[in-house]
Amino acid sequence: MSPLLEIKNLSLDFISGTETTAALKNISFTVNRGEVVSLVGESGSGKSVTSLSILQLLPTSSAKYTSGEILFSENGQQQTDLLKRNRYEMQDIRGNKIAMIFQEPMTSLNPVLTCGDQVMETILLHKKISKIEAKKQTIHWFEKVKLPNPDAVFSRYPHQLSGGQKQRVMIAMAMSCEPSLLICDEPTTALDVTVQKTILQLIKELQLQSNMGVIFITHDLGVVAEIANRAAVMYQGKIVEQNTVKDLLTAPQHPYTKALLACRPVNHERGKRLPVVSDFLEDKIPANEKEILNPEIIWPVSPEVLLRVENLSVWFPDKKTFLGKPRSFTKAVNEVSFDVCNGETLGLVGESGCGKTTLGRTLLRLIEPTSGKIIYKGTDLTAKKRDELRSLRKEVQIVFQDPYSSLNPRITIGSAIAEPMKVHSILPTDRQRKDKVTELLEKVNLKAEHFNRYPHEFSGGQRQRIVIARALALNPSFIVCDEPVSALDISVQAQVLNLMNDLKKEFGFTIIFISHDLSVVRYISDRIMVMNQGRIEESGKADDIYFNPQSAYTKKLIDSIPKGIMV
């Protein structure tokens, strides 16, 4: 029998004006029925472009195929070249014979249609059945993807569901016409480890039930170990290595594959610098060296308490009476108490909705507390009026999860970093402030010429470094980092974690590091607090919590980390 999908010598260029960029360079791989093939690589490696090429979703005005074939064989005998199918033939194939789950379900789902209507629309487009039957099938698929209360979800809008639930709606939509081939484009990247584990198990279960082929796109080799049979590693538009997952993970051949494996914090001791891709690609280490020997980056932690939190609560009104008075509350943070010592990195970990971000923002009075005390350097911040907090803003800073939304797209990054310095009258002249900004850019591994560029001209990892530079501009003593690496490629994540450790060693600030990824938190933190439903579930030294958890909830978080290549 012919493979379900066979890509032969595919090359693709993007043309913009007089510039031509080679996006895919002579790639070849196959997918068989009942097989999961993973495409692995960082952003810009060509993974998503490959998947969009299969479904012919790239703009014909700028995307030009210079060579190759994409052969699809639904029945196992006759192959058809998808590059030669017209628009109407592709409409019949998309969603019906080949379906796709996109990376971000919120942007893939229509916000003004209910989840049920959107799945029904796909079914009615490809099947000649009544609306009543289409609704039955939709609810059936909601049950299969294990959505709670499928009848209620049918009538809900996307914003009324959690990230994991939205992703399950997307899986139900993709599976509703029982395709032969399912393409999953980073479907678990920004999800909690527990939700990620559930989604991976669900995709594998549905794949085995229907014997379909799956292309699973990711940048995380840990996820590959959980789900795939074979993997192809992509780098700069080329496939640099293909093998079974077991052989690829235990005996990688290409330096880039070795780099992706080595970058994962889960594989490294605390206090050791994480290797990055350039270490492997620039032949900085012998070929037979399995791990880069890195200098220690441990720093002293003072016993002096910098921040003390006493019985802090943040409640949001949930249901209200007819007169608008709160009848019930969502207890986002509920009677939380802890200390943070000077020079310490305290990791705050938990699933989405546990109250991590609310707690982090409340410490800076970006969200007002309902009750409790926040004592910083002996001063109760909850007793201060908003205008009295202005001087505090110099000392406490925050690095947000999404750097793009926290940067003004209309001003250059140099101006964005200089702005807080101007507000707080740091340095007397604009010239001196510009010199200071240039110095900060170089500290976060950017260049002086980047001063006049705008946020959209940078990659995600570069933007994250920019907001770190902005946080450092006022020389703070305390920084809250809210999921600063959760959406970054594994190698860029390693660069940012190394950078934060280097800067902490140089400037001596204290960090609360918020994340849902326990392996990252374990690597960077001195102590860890595990948060669940607004309360502190467990706290202790980082290695104690990670290797010997006491709480059932912490054990569940650790069990959900992809184990395929865990030390």
Side-chain angles (χ1 to χ4, degrees):
M1 289 179 73
S2 303
L4 179 62
L5 184 81
E6 187 173 9
I7 294 182
K8 291 183 175 180
N9 306 316
L10 186 67
S11 296
L12 167 70
D13 292 345
F14 283 119
I15 298 167
S16 176
T18 56
E19 287 187 23
T20 299
T21 305
L24 297 178
K25 303 169 187 174
N26 208 37
I27 68 166
S28 300
F29 69 93
T30 60
V31 183
N32 296 307
R33 283 159 193 76
E35 181 181 44
V36 180
V37 176
S38 190
L39 291 182
V40 192
E42 298 171 281
S43 295
S45 63
K47 310 183 304 291
S48 293
V49 171
T50 302
S51 67
L52 293 172
S53 295
I54 294 167
L55 286 170
Q56 293 295 285
L57 290 174
L58 293 171
T60 53
S61 56
S62 57
K64 303 296 177 190
Y65 295 95
T66 56
S67 69
E69 299 172 298
I70 302 174
L71 303 174
F72 178 63
S73 171
E74 189 188 9
N75 56 19
Q77 303 297 326
Q78 190 176 358
Q79 292 184 317
T80 180
D81 187 354
L82 299 179
L83 294 179
K84 294 177 181 174
R85 298 303 95 193
N86 63 39
R87 187 159 58 97
Y88 301 105
E89 289 170 321
M90 285 308 301
Q91 280 177 356
D92 182 54
I93 290 172
R94 290 187 203 118
N96 186 18
K97 297 170 184 175
I98 305 176
M100 187 164 180
I101 303 166
F102 292 94
Q103 180 171 354
E104 178 43 69
M106 195 62 224
T107 55
S108 306
L109 292 167
N110 189 329
V112 299
L113 292 178
T114 65
C115 296
D117 283 340
Q118 294 185 63
V119 177
M120 264 181 66
E121 185 179 28
T122 304
I123 294 171
L124 290 168
L125 183 66
H126 295 294
K127 294 183 178 180
K128 293 179 180 178
I129 58 175
S130 68
K131 282 191 175 183
I132 294 171
E133 181 58 30
K135 182 175 181 178
K136 278 184 186 175
Q137 289 191 18
T138 300
I139 292 171
H140 166 72
W141 278 107
F142 283 173
E143 287 170 354
K144 287 203 81 166
V145 299
K146 298 172 185 172
L147 277 164
N149 200 345
D151 291 291
V153 170
F154 185 93
S155 303
R156 285 181 189 157
Y157 291 88
H159 73 273
Q160 295 175 296
L161 304 182
S162 70
Q165 287 172 338
K166 284 195 282 274
Q167 199 60 284
R168 287 184 216 191
V169 171
M170 289 297 299
I171 294 170
M173 189 186 298
M175 292 296 300
S176 61
C177 291
E178 300 179 46
S180 304
L181 177 66
L182 179 66
I183 302 170
C184 304
D185 188 1
E186 303 256 20
T188 61
T189 297
L191 299 179
D192 295 337
V193 284
T194 49
V195 180
Q196 172 181 273
K197 184 175 183 179
T198 305
I199 295 295
L200 291 177
Q201 286 173 341
L202 177 60
I203 291 170
K204 189 72 178 175
E205 191 179 301
L206 293 172
Q207 178 257 336
L208 291 171
Q209 284 173 10
S210 58
N211 197 39
M212 66 181 173
V214 175
I215 296 175
F216 195 96
I217 296 169
T218 183
H219 61 253
D220 189 346
L221 280 163
V223 172
V224 173
E226 291 283 301
I227 196 167
N229 306 108
R230 288 189 298 116
V233 180
M234 293 192 74
Y235 178 64
Q236 294 184 346
K238 298 177 182 175
I239 291 179
V240 295
E241 185 169 0
Q242 288 190 65
N243 213 329
T244 64
V245 167
K246 184 181 177 183
D247 289 343
L248 193 79
L249 299 182
T250 55
Q253 300 301 307
H254 195 275
Y256 181 67
T257 314
K258 293 177 183 178
L260 289 180
L261 280 163
C263 289
R264 303 181 77 235
V266 73
N267 293 333
H268 294 276
E269 292 177 45
R270 288 189 62 255
K272 297 284 186 182
R273 177 173 298 281
L274 291 172
V276 295
V277 168
S278 58
D279 293 329
F280 289 80
L281 298 182
E282 293 171 11
D283 296 325
K284 291 184 180 177
I285 58 168
N288 61 350
E289 191 76 83
K290 288 187 178 177
E291 186 171 348
I292 301 173
L293 299 175
N294 292 304
E296 293 200 358
I297 47 175
I298 290 175
W299 46 87
V301 175
S302 164
E304 177 195 355
V305 173
L306 179 73
L307 179 79
R308 173 160 286 154
V309 175
E310 296 179 359
N311 302 317
L312 188 68
S313 292
V314 184
W315 295 5
F316 296 112
D318 194 359
K319 294 179 180 178
K320 295 185 179 182
T321 65
F322 179 72
L323 296 174
K325 289 185 178 180
R327 195 165 57 191
S328 63
F329 293 88
T330 297
K331 298 178 180 181
V333 178
N334 194 15
E335 295 286 316
V336 166
S337 300
F338 62 92
D339 292 344
V340 186
C341 292
N342 207 359
E344 184 179 30
T345 298
L346 176 65
L348 184 57
V349 73
E351 297 173 284
S352 292
C354 72
K356 309 185 301 291
T357 295
T358 301
L359 175 57
R361 294 186 181 196
T362 305
L363 296 178
L364 276 65
R365 287 279 304 272
L366 298 175
I367 294 174
E368 289 299 325
T370 305
S371 63
K373 292 182 179 180
I374 304 165
I375 301 165
Y376 176 75
K377 290 186 175 178
T379 303
D380 185 2
L381 303 184
T382 56
K384 286 191 170 286
K385 294 179 181 176
R386 279 200 167 273
D387 56 348
E388 295 176 316
L389 290 170
R390 184 164 178 172
S391 59
L392 173 78
R393 301 292 179 211
K394 287 166 62 176
E395 293 207 30
V396 294
Q397 289 287 302
I398 186 166
V399 176
F400 292 100
Q401 179 173 359
D402 181 2
Y404 193 72
S405 63
S406 60
L407 289 167
N408 188 331
R410 294 186 175 186
I411 65 173
T412 64
I413 60 111
S415 300
I417 297 169
E419 187 177 34
M421 296 167 68
K422 199 168 185 176
V423 167
H424 290 281
S425 305
I426 291 175
L427 299 175
T429 67
D430 286 343
R431 179 71 223 174
Q432 286 174 299
R433 281 190 282 268
K434 184 172 182 179
D435 290 343
K436 177 68 174 175
V437 171
T438 302
E439 182 188 324
L440 284 168
L441 286 173
E442 287 170 351
K443 284 214 183 296
V444 298
N445 301 326
L446 293 170
K447 297 177 182 174
E449 57 261 34
H450 290 148
F451 186 97
N452 292 314
R453 292 190 189 173
Y454 290 87
H456 73 270
E457 298 179 80
F458 295 91
S459 70
Q462 287 173 322
R463 282 197 289 265
Q464 198 60 279
R465 287 183 234 166
I466 290 163
V467 294
I468 291 170
R470 183 176 61 180
L472 292 173
L474 301 176
N475 197 19
S477 53
F478 178 61
I479 301 176
V480 174
C481 297
D482 187 5
E483 302 264 16
V485 297
S486 66
L488 300 179
D489 288 338
I490 206 82
S491 61
V492 179
Q493 174 182 281
Q495 290 170 21
V496 171
L497 292 174
N498 284 340
L499 170 68
M500 293 187 74
N501 278 332
D502 289 341
L503 292 171
K504 182 179 171 181
K505 192 173 183 180
E506 181 176 348
F507 292 100
F509 47 74
T510 304
I511 301 176
I512 287 185
F513 191 97
I514 299 170
S515 178
H516 61 250
D517 189 336
L518 251 168
S519 60
V520 169
V521 171
R522 193 275 312 180
Y523 168 75
I524 201 166
S525 303
D526 300 296
R527 281 192 303 129
I528 292 176
M529 287 196 316
V530 181
M531 202 166 177
N532 180 24
Q533 296 181 344
R535 291 183 178 274
I536 302 302
E537 185 86 19
E538 183 174 359
S539 66
K541 289 182 179 179
D543 283 346
D544 290 346
I545 294 290
Y546 191 78
F547 294 110
N548 188 27
Q550 300 302 305
S551 155
Y553 178 75
T554 311
K555 288 175 183 174
K556 184 182 82 167
L557 287 180
I558 292 170
D559 287 343
S560 299
I561 298 169
K563 298 294 191 297
I565 47 175
M566 218 175 136
V567 173

